[in-house]
């Protein structure tokens, strides 16, 4: 059963009801600037006091050309009876006590005694991040009053609103509000219609209120809203005004729960509603619709307010909600959403564009076939424009596009200074590098290549030129990639004399440094797979600066892979191939099953298999600090080979990662000048 209480007129809610609601105001904004621009005295507006902008304390008016205009004979509302006229770019700067969401409300009315044609004066207003108005004029407007409400998330201790008149023109503003808003009023993530995704990062966008409606109820003024909002009656937006019945209940019946508060919407909104007539036949498939003019180039935030103030039985009122042609909500049962009857407020948020090739946005409610009665309800509606990717709420231009050159003179000068300083620093670095390189080359031409961090003294064998390495690996072709080690990738290659080698190419992103590189050279040179030679990284570093080489930090090491023969030797045993490949690619493998062929487990020395498994486990440790170095891995793999070749199975110590294999001699030394 449904009780419908008709509302004879949307102005029928008495002043006593509004007064009861006003007494429930609880939210106190941290920032609350109410400015009567150009006024000489305080102005009372809807129970609030607007202060003259000449009485600056925690805000500042900055302008090179402005004047105050007041009209004592105007019949306009008080906040519109004065204005501040700008002939040059000007700004209001407000100190922000608490960062977060803030209202910005702007009032405009072209007073007749300004000495300028204010009806034709283009108005452009911007903040640091958002374009609020862009070249708006009152020409061809039905009303001479303009009120705009925005919500932006202020993330600094100051907020600046700039007014930018065109050259040889003027701009103006009558009133400004900058007021804090509860942080949880607008979510950061909202479901997008016709999509399985959410619109993320709403707190980084600006919002502009385009419609805020109290369905079936009276006009709600800022005096009767805890956040100073205005709620318009919905009648003129109804597609078929005669198709709706207005209902209402006492304000005291509204019970806020589940995170919905008076800041979400005043109880006057939830105590009134539009519903479909009870005698509507279900066979007519009739719906209620509201139609709005919007800019189809923008995306919109939509909030629907519900409160079941008509049902007497649970699960009786079930209906659908559509936004444009999209089914926004199916089978909406308010009694189920709010835990039963009791007139509990509820709301839903969506993000939607207007519609394809249309400047209309249509909100529709209608009964579902599962409902026992053919009706639907809507209590309130908010539609807010979301700023574009460029931060605009009016047009296609960004703040940077609209700022005049003179307005950004200081920032541009700062950029120029930074560029000059950076260029000088870079020039100094280049000169230092060149000087060092000249001295370095001079010394190298008269004596062997020796210096503190060079590895020439290690006598690790022949030095290969970088070109030789590139030629042997077909310019480090990915088709020749063997695996990835601690320093970088390892490639197979063939030298001019036919020697098959593995070339280890360092990666500048590798965590190991020059000391580790030196240690690895020393250790590898002592293994059975002796090191043929290397490319000195100290010289290579300067070669990078000079030639901008595409080979990055710590050079290239040439080495034969494990087992005493080249890794690509087709005559290698299966066991040797498995071990060699594992040694070169353990970081890529990830799981033990890929390390060794399970079919070989029974053929391998158990002691060797045990060490092999422990090495693999350590290599796969979750934390990098718990993994062994490549040198440690090489040592233990060499030890494995010794076990395989031993006539008897030796006793294996528990801490096998400390084993060091037999030392082997190296093959020669090197000349880094071959890089040239």
């Amino acid at each position: 059963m449904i009780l419908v209480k008709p509302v004879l007129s949307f102005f029928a809610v008495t002043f006593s009801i509004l007064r009861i609601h006003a007494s429930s105001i609880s939210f106190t904004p941290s920032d609350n600037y109410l400015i009567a621009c150009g006024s000489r005295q305080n102005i009372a507006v809807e129970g609030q006091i607007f202060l003259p902008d000449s009485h600056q304390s925690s805000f500042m008016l900055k302008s090179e050309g402005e004047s105050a205009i007041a009209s004592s004979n105007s019949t306009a509302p008080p906040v519109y009876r004065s204005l501040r006229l700008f002939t040059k770019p000007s700004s209001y700067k407000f100190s922000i006590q608490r960062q977060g969401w803030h209202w910005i409300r702007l009032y405009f009315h072209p007073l007749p005694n300004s000495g300028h044609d204010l009806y034709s004066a283009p108005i452009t207003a911007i903040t640091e991040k958002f374009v609020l108005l862009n070249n708006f004029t009152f020409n061809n407007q039905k009303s001479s009053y303009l009120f705009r409400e925005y919500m932006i998330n202020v993330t600094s201790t100051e907020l600046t609103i700039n007014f930018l008149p065109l050259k040889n023109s003027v701009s103006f503003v009558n009133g400004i509000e900058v007021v804090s808003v509860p942080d949880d009023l607008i979510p950061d993530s909202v479901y997008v219609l016709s999509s399985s995704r959410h619109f993320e990062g709403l707190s980084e966008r600006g919002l502009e209120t385009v419609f805020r409606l109290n369905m079936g109820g009276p006009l709600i003024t800022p005096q009767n809203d805890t956040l100073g909002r205005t709620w318009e009656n919905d009648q003129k937006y109804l597609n078929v005004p005669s198709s709706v019945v207005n209902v209402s209940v006492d304000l005291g019946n509204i019970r806020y729960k589940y995170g919905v508060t008076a800041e979400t919407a005043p109880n006057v909104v939830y105590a009134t509603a539009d519903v479909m007539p009870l005698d509507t036949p279900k066979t007519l498939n009739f719906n209620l619709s509201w139609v709005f003019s919007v800019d189809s180039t923008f995306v919109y935030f939509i909030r629907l307010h519900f409160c079941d103030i008509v049902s007497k039985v649970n699960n009786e009122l079930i209906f659908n909600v559509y936004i444009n042609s999209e089914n926004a909500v199916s089978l909406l049962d308010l009694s189920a959403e709010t835990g039963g009857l009791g007139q509990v407020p509820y709301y839903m948020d969506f993000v939607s564009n207007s519609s394809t090739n249309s400047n209309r946005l249509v909100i529709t409610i209608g009964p579902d076939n599962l409902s026992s009665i053919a009706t639907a309800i809507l209590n309130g509606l908010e539609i807010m424009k979301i700023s574009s990717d460029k931060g605009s709420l009016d047009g296609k231009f960004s703040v940077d596009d609209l700022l005049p050159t003179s307005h950004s003179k200081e920032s541009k000068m700062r950029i120029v200074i930074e560029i000059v300083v950076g260029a000088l620093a870079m020039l100094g670095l280049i000169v230092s590098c060149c000087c060092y390189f000249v001295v370095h080359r001079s010394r190298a031409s008269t004596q062997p290549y020796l210096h503190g961090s060079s590895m020439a003294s290690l006598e690790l064998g022949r030095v290969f030129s970088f070109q030789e390495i590139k030629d042997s690996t077909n310019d480090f072709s990915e088709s020749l990639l063997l695996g990835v080690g601690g320093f970088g990738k390892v490639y197979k290659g063939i030298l001019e004399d036919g020697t098959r080698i593995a070339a280890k190419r360092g990666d500048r992103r590798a965590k190991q440094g020059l000391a580790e590189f030196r240690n690895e050279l020393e250790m590898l040179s002592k293994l059975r797979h002796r090191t043929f030679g290397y490319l000195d990284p100290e010289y290579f570093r300067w070669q990078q600066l000079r030639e901008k080489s595409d080979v990055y930090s710590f050079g290239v090491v040439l080495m034969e892979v494990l087992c005493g023969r080249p890794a690509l030797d087709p005559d290698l045993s299966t066991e040797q191939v498995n071990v060699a490949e594992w040694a070169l690619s353990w970081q890529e493998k990830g799981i033990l099953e890929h390390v060794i062929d399970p079919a070989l487990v029974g053929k391998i020395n158990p002691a060797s298999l045990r060490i092999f498994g422990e090495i693999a486990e350590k290599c796969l440790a979750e934390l990098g600090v718990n993994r062994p170095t490549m040198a440690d891995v090489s040592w233990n793999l060499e030890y494995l080979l010794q076990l395989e070749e031993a006539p008897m199975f030796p006793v294996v110590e528990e801490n096998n990662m400390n084993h060091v294999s037999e030392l082997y001699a190296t093959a020669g030394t090197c000349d880094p000048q071959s890089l040239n």
Side-chain angles (χ1 to χ4, degrees), residues 190-211:
V190 182
Y191 174 74
V192 180
L193 288 169
S194 69
S195 172
S196 59
R197 65 182 181 88
H198 280 67
F199 188 100
E200 305 290 348
L202 196 58
S203 60
E204 299 175 2
R205 302 292 185 115
L207 302 174
E208 178 186 350
T209 304
V210 288
F211 301 99

Side-chain angles (χ1 to χ4, degrees), residues 208-253:
E208 178 186 350
T209 304
V210 288
F211 301 99
R212 183 182 288 121
L213 305 182
N214 179 25
M215 269 60 178
L219 170 72
I220 302 175
T221 63
Q223 187 176 5
N224 298 298
D225 183 290
T226 58
L227 299 184
R229 294 166 293 194
T230 298
W231 298 74
E232 184 183 2
N233 178 264
D234 68 301
Q235 189 173 25
K236 69 180 182 180
Y237 302 102
L238 279 163
N239 189 35
V240 183
S242 61
S243 64
V244 67
V245 173
N246 305 140
V247 297
S248 67
V249 297
D250 292 336
L251 297 182
N253 292 358

Side-chain angles (χ1 to χ4, degrees), residues 391-409:
S392 176
L393 287 160
D394 187 5
K396 300 180 180 179
F397 296 108
S398 67
V399 169
D400 290 339
D401 295 332
L402 297 178
L403 277 175
T405 304
S406 59
H407 194 78
S408 56
K409 184 177 180 180

Side-chain angles (χ1 to χ4, degrees), residues 13 21 29 31 35 61 70 76 111 131 174 191 236 256 296 319 347 402 441 458 475 480 489 528 565 589 610 646 669:
V13 178
H21 174 65
D31 300 302
I35 310 299
L61 169 61
L111 294 175
V131 176
N174 300 76
Y191 174 74
K236 69 180 182 180
Y256 288 103
S296 61
F319 59 98
Y347 69 90
L402 297 178
R441 291 289 300 272
L458 295 179
D475 198 11
L480 300 178
K489 297 180 178 180
R528 286 183 56 184
R565 283 181 290 177
K589 297 300 183 182
R610 175 182 172 186
T669 57

Side-chain angles (χ1 to χ4, degrees), residues 152-399:
I152 67 172
N153 187 21
V154 182
T155 58
S156 64
T157 58
E158 291 182 338
L159 170 65
T160 301
I161 303 175
N162 300 282
F163 295 92
L164 309 176
L166 294 180
K167 187 176 182 180
N168 301 323
S169 184
V170 296
S171 187
F172 67 94
V173 62
N174 300 76
I176 300 175
E177 293 185 45
V178 175
V179 184
S180 298
V181 178
D183 291 338
D184 57 356
L185 185 65
I186 300 294
D188 190 60
S189 176
V190 182
Y191 174 74
V192 180
L193 288 169
S194 69
S195 172
S196 59
R197 65 182 181 88
H198 280 67
F199 188 100
E200 305 290 348
L202 196 58
S203 60
E204 299 175 2
R205 302 292 185 115
L207 302 174
E208 178 186 350
T209 304
V210 288
F211 301 99
R212 183 182 288 121
L213 305 182
N214 179 25
M215 269 60 178
L219 170 72
I220 302 175
T221 63
Q223 187 176 5
N224 298 298
D225 183 290
T226 58
L227 299 184
R229 294 166 293 194
T230 298
W231 298 74
E232 184 183 2
N233 178 264
D234 68 301
Q235 189 173 25
K236 69 180 182 180
Y237 302 102
L238 279 163
N239 189 35
V240 183
S242 61
S243 64
V244 67
V245 173
N246 305 140
V247 297
S248 67
V249 297
D250 292 336
L251 297 182
N253 292 358
I254 304 302
R255 297 187 300 155
Y256 288 103
K257 289 184 178 181
Y258 310 116
V260 185
T261 67
E263 281 68 55
T264 308
N267 55 2
V268 180
V269 171
Y270 295 116
T272 60
D274 282 343
V275 299
M276 294 174 57
L278 285 178
D279 56 355
T280 303
K282 294 182 67 174
T283 57
L284 292 181
N285 195 26
F286 178 73
N287 294 323
L288 289 180
S289 296
W290 293 262
V291 182
F292 305 94
S293 296
V294 294
D295 185 343
S296 61
T297 61
F298 284 88
V299 174
Y300 290 83
F301 170 81
I302 300 169
R303 174 166 290 179
L304 302 167
H305 296 272
F306 301 98
C307 186
D308 187 354
I309 59 175
V310 295
S311 296
K312 294 300 181 181
V313 179
N314 284 333
N315 313 119
E316 183 179 45
L317 178 62
I318 300 175
F319 59 98
N320 301 323
V321 179
Y322 305 89
I323 299 178
N324 292 327
S325 59
E326 303 293 338
N327 190 347
V329 190
S330 298
L331 303 176
L332 179 57
D333 183 350
L334 294 176
S335 64
E337 297 292 343
T338 60
L341 301 177
Q343 300 176 358
V344 176
Y346 180 75
Y347 69 90
M348 303 185 75
D349 294 334
F350 303 93
V351 166
S352 174
N353 57 10
S354 55
S355 60
T356 304
N357 300 322
S358 173
N359 288 331
R360 297 202 320 164
L361 193 152
V362 181
I363 307 295
T364 302
I365 59 173
D368 189 85
N369 293 332
L370 297 180
S371 176
S372 60
I373 54 174
T375 192
I377 188 171
L378 185 60
N379 302 73
L381 173 66
E382 294 177 87
I383 301 175
M384 306 181 80
K385 183 191 297 183
I386 301 176
S387 64
S388 67
D389 292 339
K390 288 190 172 184
S392 176
L393 287 160
D394 187 5
K396 300 180 180 179
F397 296 108
S398 67
V399 169

Side-chain angles (χ1 to χ4, degrees), residues 40-59:
R40 301 185 182 91
Q41 58 188 5
N42 294 353
I43 301 295
V45 180
E46 295 290 342
Q48 302 182 94
I49 303 300
F50 281 63
L51 304 178
D53 60 358
S54 56
H55 297 171
Q56 303 176 36
S57 55
S58 53
F59 74 93

